[in-house]
Amino acid sequence: MACQFKSLMSYNHPDYRRTGFGPLVFSLLALSVLALAIYWLRLPPTGENPSRNASLVVYCAAGMRMPVEEAARLFEKEYGVEVRLDFGSSGELEGKLELERASNASRCDIYIPADFSFAERARSKGLTLERIPLAQFRLILAGRTPVGQGFESVTDLLDNGFSFGICDEKAGAGKKTREVLSLMGQWETVKAQAKVTFPRVTELAGAIQTSGNVQAGFIWDSTARQFGLTIFPIAGLKHNVSTISANIVATSSHPTWALRFARYLAASDKGAPFFKKHHFDPVRGDAWTLEPEIVFYCGGVNRDAVARALERFQEREGCIVKTQFAGCGTIVGSIQSGKLHPPDLFLTCDVSYMAMVQENFNVPANVSSTPICMLVRKGNPKGIDSLKDLLKPDIAIGTTDPQMSTLGALSHAMFEEFGIKKSIEKNQSIVVTAPTAHELILQMEGHGKLDVVLVYEANCQHLEESVETVAIDHPMAHATQNIAAARQTKYPHLMARLMSEMLSSRSRESFLNHGFKWEGPTPDP
């Protein structure tokens, strides 16, 4: 399927670099590319198109039945996508996912367990991929009034001989009961004295509500309120919180629609009110739109390395990524001047530029690094072996603009450090200053005016045989790229997933293949 990756600037296509056209022709080509890019911005994303025949299967823990069911019916009405819900305990549903994978009979698209631990375990088994948080609730002790009105601790429950129930550990409430009470040193005693064990939290709540044999039980606070039960203020249970999440099944047949429904469930004006209505505490979700448009600013050096990751992300998420590749000086200057609002995501040429606008962004993550080198003619006819050789007579130098580009700023800072900047300026040795390394390389390859240009090593992976690189031995000849999401983005969870894609093993391979060193975390296999 064709990708709808939107680029506002395009400098480094291999075909352009081999044309040998002059600057004027290149400028005309660049304008043509820009015109096409503006046209492409109007095209729809490449995810699955709306279809009245689309269908999703959701495995959902029984305790979340009410909000998920109501949200699903509204989603069906709005988008014509059938949502079939299958309820059970979290562990039971996880087991079904495993059996389906083993038999190569994929059925489910989204798995919604009752606790974060189930989501983590499913992901570690490779059953699920993306995770979108939806809401939170707490484990509590609940019963019928006036039973247990004086309970202040689990010990009170045990010492007074009340009949109580627990959930099986395959259910989220049962697993949480074991975890919390184990920390309190009371799990084994509670397990031994429990009158009955239920497979689902709703069944235990129903028994407390209607049966004379079960007076209390450890259940979710939301379930207790749904069944009109009294919550007893047990001190040891006050601060435990469980997070509900929608997890996209790895073998989903409709991952784009699955992600859309998961985002719908989390959205403050869509699924969240249903969770609140049924006594859950909704997590702040992304702003809802079927096809989100996000703005991604990226230092030009990263362009080729990130292209495929952006294509994959846009196609899977069913979103539009509007990209701008430029020198980081240009990007940062525009943000600082107020001409540009902070993008949703910013991948720098060097960490120094993120520092200049850090107040607009969340904590960044390092991605990659690349040395700065000198690009000279094949055979190095001018004998340029170090920066000091740039002072030789009749050396024509090209750099990027230090005001617009990280590369230019670092290059001129090195000239200053080596004590050659004033001499270079006096000799007027810098005969070309371009916005980006890509343009410098085009001019170096296109005509014989230049003897040497300072570029990133990562820019030099697929050059013609007429040039070669010379390493620069200096601590400043090194740029580290980092990435961060804007603090005010409307899509914080979407940006977290895009960052995960940028730091994935596939992205790592792309950066390495384009001449970068990987500086990010060791990605999951």
Side-chain angles (χ1 to χ4, degrees), residues 282-298:
V283 173
R284 182 197 168 209
D286 291 345
W288 172 250
T289 179
L290 187 67
E291 299 169 348
E293 292 188 2
I294 58 178
V295 177
F296 177 53
Y297 289 164
C298 184

Side-chain angles (χ1 to χ4, degrees), residues 187-205:
W187 166 242
E188 294 299 333
T189 305
V190 167
K191 184 178 180 181
Q193 293 191 23
K195 184 177 183 63
V196 65
T197 299
F198 285 90
R200 301 179 184 182
V201 68
T202 50
E203 293 176 5
L204 174 53

